[in-house]
């Protein structure tokens, strides 16, 4: 039997999309393993066995202080070396919604400039997730676009998806991407580290440059506000019965994102 890569899905108090992430990896050809952050802090070596790492959405620690802040601080002060080393050896990492907020605050995004090594200590934050432009919780589906030139291993397989299928659900109150300065935004653009943007006429939270998600220069680490793990079947799509039958014969873009990351490892059949 061919080996299936191990996908470690982190959980802690308040995370609520970990089961969906586990199902996504299972369907994509990996073996998911749900691990509490306390276990990882006590035994960072557990991450050495991971082929993929995921930080799920939810409201970790009730979003006390700020969204994702408590979990990010725990990762930044205890697990950053293990996570940094994982990326350095080629482990894809994804953070969804609250997980995106955590990756940004823990120093894993946007990461070092192309060609540079990961720093020994977390770098100061250069991007952040702020309150939506209309200060309310948003729960809806949005059309998105994908940069085909991005190195992101999570989005490579969906760049050619039709606009009606390339939609993802969002559910957040603090999803507006803000960038520290224009130079940082230009660098992200130049390095194609913005793999996904809201389609024209969308951008529900007012993110700079319509940013949906950001990856590091290697394309392994990806954080995004929408939930691809909530789009694993066509019946999840908001108007799936109106889609052409031929389109619905294949995989959803949500599942394709996870399969793309799994297949990029080159493990198993």
């Amino acid at each position: 039997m061919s080996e299936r890569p191990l996908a470690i899905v982190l959980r802690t108090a308040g995370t609520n999309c970990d089961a969906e992430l586990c199902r996504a990896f299972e369907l994509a050809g990996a073996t998911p393993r749900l691990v509490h952050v306390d276990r990882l802090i006590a035994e960072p070596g557990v991450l050495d066995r991971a082929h993929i790492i995921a930080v799920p959405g939810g409201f970790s620690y009730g979003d006390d202080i700020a969204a994702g802040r408590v979990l990010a601080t725990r990762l930044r002060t205890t697990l950053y070396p293990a996570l940094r080393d994982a990326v350095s050896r080629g482990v894809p990492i994804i953070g969804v919604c609250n997980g995106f907020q955590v990756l940004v605050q823990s120093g894993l995004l946007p990461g070092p400039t192309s060609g540079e090594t990961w720093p020994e200590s977390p770098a100061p934050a250069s991007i952040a997730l702020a309150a939506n432009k209309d200060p309310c919780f948003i729960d809806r589906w949005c059309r998105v676009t994908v940069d085909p030139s991005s190195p992101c291993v999570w989005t490579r397989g969906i760049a050619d998806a039709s606009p009606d299928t390339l939609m993802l659900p969002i559910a957040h109150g603090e999803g507006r991407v803000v960038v520290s300065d224009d130079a940082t935004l230009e660098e992200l653009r130049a390095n194609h580290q913005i793999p996904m943007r809201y389609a024209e006429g969308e951008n529900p939270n007012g993110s700079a440059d319509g940013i949906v998600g950001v990856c590091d220069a290697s394309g392994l680490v990806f954080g995004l506000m929408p939930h691809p793990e909530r789009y694993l079947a066509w019946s999840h799509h908001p108007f799936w019965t109106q889609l052409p039958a031929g389109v619905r014969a294949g995989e959803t873009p949500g599942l394709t994102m996870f399969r793309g990351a799994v297949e990029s490892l080159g493990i198993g059949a």
Side-chain angles (χ1 to χ4, degrees):
M1 181 180 294
S2 299
E3 178 186 2
R4 288 169 64 96
L6 173 63
I8 287 184
V9 178
L10 183 152
R11 73 175 180 89
T12 193
T15 52
N16 64 12
C17 293
D18 34 22
E20 290 91 333
L21 268 180
C22 287
R23 176 167 172 74
F25 286 118
E26 180 72 33
L27 292 175
T31 297
R33 181 181 176 191
L34 195 59
V35 184
H36 197 284
V37 66
D38 289 352
R39 166 78 188 284
L40 296 177
I41 291 173
E43 301 178 58
V46 171
L47 292 176
D48 294 342
R49 300 190 289 274
H51 298 106
I52 296 175
I53 299 170
V55 186
F59 304 91
S60 58
Y61 298 103
D63 280 347
D64 288 345
I65 307 174
R69 181 70 57 82
V70 175
L71 179 55
T73 299
R74 299 197 73 193
L75 298 188
R76 187 182 182 94
T77 56
T78 62
L79 288 174
Y80 172 79
L83 292 168
R84 174 202 64 206
D85 292 348
V87 182
S88 297
R89 70 173 183 270
V91 173
I93 297 178
I94 190 169
V96 180
C97 196
N98 197 245
F100 184 16
Q101 296 160 341
V102 169
L103 293 183
V104 166
Q105 296 177 59
S106 60
L108 291 174
L109 284 175
T113 302
S114 181
E116 294 184 353
T117 58
W118 283 83
E120 289 298 312
S121 300
S126 59
I127 61 176
L129 282 303
N132 299 337
K133 63 178 181 180
D134 295 325
C136 62
F137 188 85
I138 303 174
D139 182 6
R140 54 169 285 196
W141 283 70
C142 296
R143 286 184 169 84
V144 298
T145 62
V146 173
D147 178 3
S149 299
S150 175
C152 184
V153 300
W154 299 90
T155 60
R156 288 176 183 169
I158 62 171
D160 295 329
S162 70
D164 281 339
T165 63
L166 197 48
M167 300 178 70
L168 292 172
I170 61 171
H172 58 252
E174 297 180 37
R176 178 168 57 93
V177 177
V178 295
V179 183
S180 59
D181 50 50
D182 291 340
T184 298
L185 181 57
E186 285 304 318
E187 184 175 357
L188 292 175
R189 289 170 175 162
N191 293 334
H192 298 281
Q193 287 180 247
I194 307 174
M196 189 178 286
R197 290 178 170 87
Y198 294 106
E200 184 176 356
E202 298 276 353
N203 198 357
N205 50 37
S207 290
D209 202 30
I211 296 173
V212 167
V214 172
C215 69
D216 76 319
S218 73
L220 292 171
V221 186
F222 182 41
L224 74 166
M225 289 310 299
H227 290 264
E229 78 282 9
R230 296 181 182 178
Y231 187 17
L232 303 179
W234 287 113
S235 56
H236 298 160
H237 188 284
F239 50 89
W240 70 280
T241 58
Q242 300 176 39
L243 297 174
V247 169
R248 290 187 278 117
E251 285 185 346
T252 65
L255 179 53
T256 298
M257 289 176 63
F258 293 98
R259 190 178 300 281
V262 171
E263 291 182 349
S264 74
L265 299 169
I267 298 175

